[in-house]
Amino acid sequence: TGFISLDCGLPIGESPFDDPFNGLTFTSDFNFIQTGKTDKVQKDVKKGLSRQYLTMRYFPEGKRNCFSLDVKQGTNYLIVATFVYGNYDGLNLEPNFDLYLGPNKWTRIDLERKPNGTRVEIIHKAKSNSLDICLVKTGITVPLISAIELRPQKNDTYHATHSDSLIMAYRLYLTNSTGQIR
């Protein structure tokens, strides 16, 4: 309970759907943001991408565009945001922009350095019953987002920090298995 899995740009008529890889149910972001436009990655980029990464919401207008999500105050959430450019506009100009969690800068998204897409993760304690995830335009390129996922965590899973947030720096998998770990 409490999971939020948004496929950004998914037409409302195609929502919801279950991801066969992980069993999660993804819904359209339609009810969580009032701005932006939607599109799909180009056909030659689709190979190997999960369904929730084939569409995106992009923001050609406005400097700051925010998703507003209902959360439970005081709860720790794992928040994952995924960005796949997929040359949807045919310009071959990977965007870079800032990502904010409420009023605070979370990270810089630079798809020029990660042309196959990227995902960022943070553990964050909700300070109210609403959480804004904002994309902020910082240059000439257009911000975009493919998916947003929130997973409530047990509050004793991570120790409290001064900012109530822990940003993932990197992940290292140590295994003898050749299969994918999730």
Side-chain angles (χ1 to χ4, degrees):
T1 50
F3 278 30
I4 298 173
S5 303
L6 300 180
D7 181 337
C8 300
L10 179 70
I12 195 78
E14 297 179 24
S15 177
F17 71 88
D18 293 333
D19 182 350
F21 177 72
N22 58 27
L24 296 174
T25 300
F26 280 82
T27 59
S28 171
D29 66 341
F30 180 80
N31 293 321
F32 299 91
I33 192 160
Q34 305 304 313
T35 60
K37 296 181 179 185
T38 63
D39 212 327
K40 297 179 180 180
V41 299
Q42 286 190 353
K43 288 181 183 179
D44 62 330
V45 180
K46 288 183 177 186
K47 188 176 184 177
L49 290 176
S50 295
R51 182 175 175 188
Q52 62 270 24
Y53 309 134
L54 299 179
T55 59
M56 85 278 305
R57 182 169 296 272
Y58 65 99
F59 303 95
E61 298 162 1
K63 181 168 175 67
R64 183 182 182 98
N65 291 274
C66 299
F67 291 83
S68 183
L69 307 169
D70 292 332
V71 293
K72 185 177 177 187
Q73 182 177 358
T75 300
N76 286 332
Y77 286 88
L78 167 63
I79 305 169
V80 180
T82 307
F83 309 85
V84 178
Y85 169 58
N87 199 27
Y88 73 93
D89 55 6
L91 299 175
N92 285 315
L93 185 61
E94 291 89 357
N96 54 68
F97 52 91
D98 288 339
L99 184 65
Y100 277 69
L101 198 53
N104 302 313
K105 184 176 175 182
W106 172 357
T107 192
R108 175 106 177 126
I109 303 299
D110 185 351
L111 293 176
E112 187 173 14
R113 298 180 106 175
K114 307 255 184 175
N116 296 324
T118 192
R119 65 186 271 145
V120 293
E121 299 181 17
I122 190 170
I123 301 285
H124 178 74
K125 181 181 259 184
K127 295 179 178 19
S128 71
N129 289 325
S130 179
L131 180 68
D132 287 343
I133 297 176
C134 304
L135 288 78
V136 177
K137 185 174 183 171
T138 57
I140 61 167
T141 58
V142 176
L144 64 86
I145 189 164
S146 302
I148 298 173
E149 302 174 61
L150 271 72
R151 310 283 178 256
Q153 307 288 298
K154 292 181 180 177
N155 283 340
D156 62 353
T157 304
Y158 296 93
H159 294 285
T161 64
H162 178 67
S163 69
D164 286 331
S165 295
L166 294 168
I167 295 175
M168 184 186 76
Y170 65 92
R171 177 177 287 132
L172 181 64
Y173 294 114
L174 302 173
T175 180
N176 290 332
S177 171
T178 59
Q180 185 172 8
I181 299 173
R182 183 148 172 104

